[in-house]
Structures are given as structure tokens and as C-alpha cells.
């Protein structure tokens, strides 16, 4: 059976109807829905179906980084079946096993934002100045939870051009009663001496421990470091929306993300716990065991 032709539309509808849902979680839920309706008879056929759905979702204007990283983890996680099960002629039993694994994975991802907020809490202190860049739902939840716990903080938010996504972050923080100041991207160096913590989201965490995130994240990270490498290795589909890649001259376009190497990151606060960048590869391996 070929994948549902409306899978990409279902993915977009999920995100439009549930504004608080992450792109990664919506991609995983879409893939699991396809899995529920699939009657593939071999692992190769199933993989082809899932890959075609992932490619369809990547052609939307949502973050390709988030879609690819989340669905890669999902496909690897569900496929960890016992050898004796994979050796059976009846592939329907394998499919059922994958579906159950998929439900467990979705439950895990659904709880990740709350877990990250919990792990981040000890880093917040009263009267702390925090700098954040762009709009991140997980960063917003962590800050709002700390505020609700009675911790007094001031958040400085970069405008995050070219789409000014920082304005949205500033508005959400203000609506939660949190002291927040919107600043120009170019003000980061001027502000840094009064900042006690820089907290940013990540569209994707690389196995190196570095992160892919909104363009300008690297600039924030290197104010006390030297710039060591260029950004040419980031795939085009990560840097630009599909509609831009298909219809415009990329030489005239502004990329949407950059890569921040692990040497500029102190800690990664994840649903698996607090990790130094060097531990990311090892933890990913553990996730599949």
C-alpha cells in the first residue's frame, strides 16, 4: 500500500490547529498515522513508504531540520525489533510491534518539553538577566515555569531578523507577566556583560553536540570565542524554506538557520537530562537500545 496521499496536508493541518505543538511532534504523529494504515509486507516496502512521507513533509514550509531529525529518531526507534520477530514470515506482526513502539515514542516526545523545563529549573536564579534569540516554545515554557515558581528574572530578546520572530517571543513573555526587553540583533555584544545565562532552542541537535537553530544563534555564541569554521556545510533545505528553494535565486536570499559548534555550548538541556555536547552521540546510541 502506498502512503496516504494527504499525509503532508495532515501534517500541516496538525500544526495549524494546534499552535503549541512542535514541528517534530507533528511530523512523528503524521508518520505514525501512516504506519497505522500501512499494510506493507516487507521492511523495505515500509521504509520506502515512510521515507516518501518524510520527503513530502520536507516540501512544506515548516522546518526541514526539525522534520528530518524527529522522523529519523522515530524510524530508528520503532525498528529495534527482536531478531526472532524480524525472522517471521508474517510481517503484520512486525508492523504491530512498530506501531506499539511508535506510541511509546510519541508519548516520550509529548512529555519532552515539560521534562526539559524541569531539568532547566536549577539554572534559574532570582534577579537573573537572561538572553534568548528568536522564538522557541521549549525556552518559553522553561522561562514561564520558572516565573510561576516565583523566580524573578528579566529576559532580553533579540528581534531575530529577518522575520522578527523575537517580537513574538517578547509578546508571549510579556503576556505571562515576565519582565522582557526586545533588542536589536546588533545589541548582543553591548548587552553581554550584564547577561548571566544565554538560553536558546534548537531546531536540531547534531551528533557532534552542535545545534542547528535560527540564523544569528552563532553570532550570540561567539562573542567570547573565535570564529572557527564557515557555514557552507549546512544543507540548503535546512537554510531555506521549500518555496524559496523552488522559486528564487538563493544567492539573493537570507538563510534562516546557522550551525553553532559544540565548543560554544556549555550544556544541552534535553528530555534525556542535562548533557555536555560531547555526550550527545553516546546518548543517541543509548536511545536505540
Amino acid at each position: 500500500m502506498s502512503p496516504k496521499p494527504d499525509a503532508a496536508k495532515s501534517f500541516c493541518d496538525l500544526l495549524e490547529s494546534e499552535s503549541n505543538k512542535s514541528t517534530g511532534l507533528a511530523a512523528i504523529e503524521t508518520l505514525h498515522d501512516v504506519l497505522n494504515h500501512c499494510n506493507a509486507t516487507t521492511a523495505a516496502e515500509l521504509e520506502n513508504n515512510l521515507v516518501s512521507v518524510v520527503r513530502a513533509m520536507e516540501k512544506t514550509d515548516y522546518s526541514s531540520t526539525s522534520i528530518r531529525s524527529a522522523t529519523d529518531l522515530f524510524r530508528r526507534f520503532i525498528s529495534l525489533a527482536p531478531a526472532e520477530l524480524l525472522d517471521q514470515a508474517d510481517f503484520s506482526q512486525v508492523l504491530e510491534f512498530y506501531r506499539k513502539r511508535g506510541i511509546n515514542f510519541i508519548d516520550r516526545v509529548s512529555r519532552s518539553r515539560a521534562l526539559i523545563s524541569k531539568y532547566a529549573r536549577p539554572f534559574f536564579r532570582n534577579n537573573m538577566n537572561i538572553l534568548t534569540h528568536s522564538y522557541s516554545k521549549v525556552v518559553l515554557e522553561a522561562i514561564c515555569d520558572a516565573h510561576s515558581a516565583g523566580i524573578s528574572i528579566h529576559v532580553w530578546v533579540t528581534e531575530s531578523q529577518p522575520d522578527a520572530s523575537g517580537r513574538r517571543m517578547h509578546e508571549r513573555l510579556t503576556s505571562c507577566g515576565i519582565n522582557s526587553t526586545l533588542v536589536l540583533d546588533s545589541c548582543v555584544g553591548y548587552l553581554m556583560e550584564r547577561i548571566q545565562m544565554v538560553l536558546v532552542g534548537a531546531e536540531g541537535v547534531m551528533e557532534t553536540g552542535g545545534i542547528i537553530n535560527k540564523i544569528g544563534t552563532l553570532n550570540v555564541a561567539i562573542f567570547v570565542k573565535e570564529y572557527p569554521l564557515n557555514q557552507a556545510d549546512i544543507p540548503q533545505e535546512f537554510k531555506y524554506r521549500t518555496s524559496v528553494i523552488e522559486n528564487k535565486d538563493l544567492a539573493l536570499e537570507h538563510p534562516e538557520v546557522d550551525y553553532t559548534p559544540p565548543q560554544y555550548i556549555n550544556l544541552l538541556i534535553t528530555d534525556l537530562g542535562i548533557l555536555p555536547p560531547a555526550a550527545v552521540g553516546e546518548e543517541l546510541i543509548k536511545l536505540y537500545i
Side-chain angles (χ1 to χ4, degrees):
M1 175 181 176
S2 60
K4 296 173 64 179
D6 59 347
K9 182 179 184 303
S10 298
F11 164 69
C12 293
D13 290 344
L14 263 179
L15 287 168
E16 290 171 7
S17 63
E18 301 181 48
S19 59
N20 201 41
K21 187 182 292 291
S22 70
T23 300
L25 180 56
I28 290 168
E29 289 178 348
T30 301
L31 216 54
H32 191 261
D33 184 54
V34 171
L35 183 61
N36 283 335
H37 291 85
C38 182
N39 58 5
T41 57
T42 65
E45 183 183 353
L46 172 63
E47 179 67 6
N48 288 337
N49 285 346
L50 296 181
V51 168
S52 66
V53 172
V54 172
R55 288 174 178 166
M57 289 190 288
E58 287 181 333
K59 289 182 179 179
T60 68
D61 267 356
Y62 290 99
S63 168
S64 292
T65 311
S66 297
I67 294 168
R68 186 176 302 181
S69 59
T71 54
D72 279 356
L73 286 174
F74 176 82
R75 284 157 48 212
R76 293 182 193 179
F77 185 84
I78 65 171
S79 62
L80 291 178
E84 59 270 22
L85 178 62
L86 294 175
D87 289 339
Q88 293 189 31
D90 185 3
F91 193 70
S92 64
Q93 295 184 42
V94 179
L95 281 174
E96 189 57 33
F97 176 86
Y98 286 177
R99 289 164 185 152
K100 289 178 181 177
R101 292 273 293 179
I103 291 172
N104 291 338
F105 191 79
I106 289 171
D107 177 66
R108 187 173 189 166
V109 173
S110 299
R111 293 183 286 110
S112 63
R113 201 178 291 169
L115 285 171
I116 291 170
S117 177
K118 173 185 174 182
Y119 292 135
R121 182 68 56 80
F123 294 93
F124 290 94
R125 303 188 307 275
N126 271 319
N127 304 314
M128 173 179 273
N129 283 304
I130 297 171
L131 175 67
T132 190
H133 179 65
S134 189
Y135 176 80
S136 165
K137 294 173 184 175
V138 68
V139 169
L140 177 64
E141 183 163 326
I143 292 174
C144 289
D145 286 350
H147 173 74
S148 297
I151 302 174
S152 176
I153 51 182
H154 191 110
V155 184
W156 303 80
V157 187
T158 58
E159 261 190 336
S160 189
Q161 295 294 348
D163 62 356
S165 55
R167 290 183 178 275
R168 184 182 175 197
M169 186 71 164
H170 170 64
E171 291 168 359
R172 291 292 303 275
L173 290 166
T174 302
S175 68
C176 291
I178 298 169
N179 293 326
S180 175
T181 302
L182 185 69
V183 299
L184 297 172
D185 293 357
S186 55
C187 282
V188 170
Y190 178 80
L191 285 173
M192 197 59 73
E193 64 182 18
R194 73 181 73 177
I195 300 299
Q196 285 83 49
M197 180 166 66
V198 176
L199 195 60
V200 298
E203 293 190 18
V205 179
M206 305 294 101
E207 290 189 35
T208 61
I211 63 172
I212 296 289
N213 197 47
K214 176 66 186 293
I215 189 75
T217 303
L218 176 62
N219 295 349
V220 174
I222 65 174
F223 264 94
V224 292
K225 302 279 188 176
E226 293 182 4
Y227 182 71
L229 78 164
N230 60 51
Q231 302 290 309
D233 291 334
I234 302 177
Q236 298 286 50
E237 62 268 25
F238 286 5
K239 292 193 287 187
Y240 307 100
R241 294 180 184 272
T242 297
S243 57
V244 172
I245 292 174
E246 292 179 347
N247 302 315
K248 297 185 179 180
D249 180 0
L250 297 185
L252 304 177
E253 290 300 314
H254 196 299
E256 297 186 354
V257 302
D258 57 27
Y259 171 68
T260 301
Q263 60 262 40
Y264 299 138
I265 301 170
N266 291 330
L267 294 170
L268 293 163
I269 304 173
T270 77
D271 56 330
L272 300 176
I274 299 167
L275 306 175
V280 169
E282 181 180 344
E283 289 300 321
L284 284 174
I285 292 171
K286 290 180 182 178
L287 181 63
Y288 304 136
I289 296 177

PDB file of all heavy atoms in Angstrom, residues 140 239 250 270:
ATOM      1  N   LEU A 140      10.383  29.172  25.974  1.00  0.00           N
ATOM      2  CA  LEU A 140       9.278  29.925  26.557  1.00  0.00           C
ATOM      3  C   LEU A 140       8.667  29.178  27.745  1.00  0.00           C
ATOM      4  O   LEU A 140       8.422  29.775  28.811  1.00  0.00           O
ATOM      5  CB  LEU A 140       8.203  30.173  25.492  1.00  0.00           C
ATOM      6  CG  LEU A 140       6.939  30.903  25.955  1.00  0.00           C
ATOM      7  CD1 LEU A 140       7.259  32.318  26.407  1.00  0.00           C
ATOM      8  CD2 LEU A 140       5.893  30.918  24.833  1.00  0.00           C
ATOM      9  N   LYS A 239      18.552  25.584   5.390  1.00  0.00           N
ATOM     10  CA  LYS A 239      18.738  27.038   5.442  1.00  0.00           C
ATOM     11  C   LYS A 239      17.584  27.839   4.850  1.00  0.00           C
ATOM     12  O   LYS A 239      17.391  28.999   5.212  1.00  0.00           O
ATOM     13  CB  LYS A 239      20.031  27.417   4.709  1.00  0.00           C
ATOM     14  CG  LYS A 239      21.294  26.928   5.419  1.00  0.00           C
ATOM     15  CD  LYS A 239      22.540  27.570   4.853  1.00  0.00           C
ATOM     16  CE  LYS A 239      22.902  27.020   3.494  1.00  0.00           C
ATOM     17  NZ  LYS A 239      24.210  27.538   3.015  1.00  0.00           N
ATOM     18  N   LEU A 250      18.870  31.694  -4.742  1.00  0.00           N
ATOM     19  CA  LEU A 250      19.353  31.599  -3.361  1.00  0.00           C
ATOM     20  C   LEU A 250      20.489  32.580  -3.081  1.00  0.00           C
ATOM     21  O   LEU A 250      20.726  32.924  -1.920  1.00  0.00           O
ATOM     22  CB  LEU A 250      19.802  30.172  -3.053  1.00  0.00           C
ATOM     23  CG  LEU A 250      18.703  29.104  -3.118  1.00  0.00           C
ATOM     24  CD1 LEU A 250      19.265  27.756  -2.681  1.00  0.00           C
ATOM     25  CD2 LEU A 250      17.511  29.492  -2.256  1.00  0.00           C
ATOM     26  N   THR A 270      18.041  18.646  27.734  1.00  0.00           N
ATOM     27  CA  THR A 270      17.208  17.794  26.892  1.00  0.00           C
ATOM     28  C   THR A 270      16.242  16.990  27.743  1.00  0.00           C
ATOM     29  O   THR A 270      16.333  16.979  28.974  1.00  0.00           O
ATOM     30  CB  THR A 270      18.074  16.810  26.076  1.00  0.00           C
ATOM     31  OG1 THR A 270      18.500  15.744  26.939  1.00  0.00           O
ATOM     32  CG2 THR A 270      19.305  17.504  25.508  1.00  0.00           C
TER      33      THR A 270
END
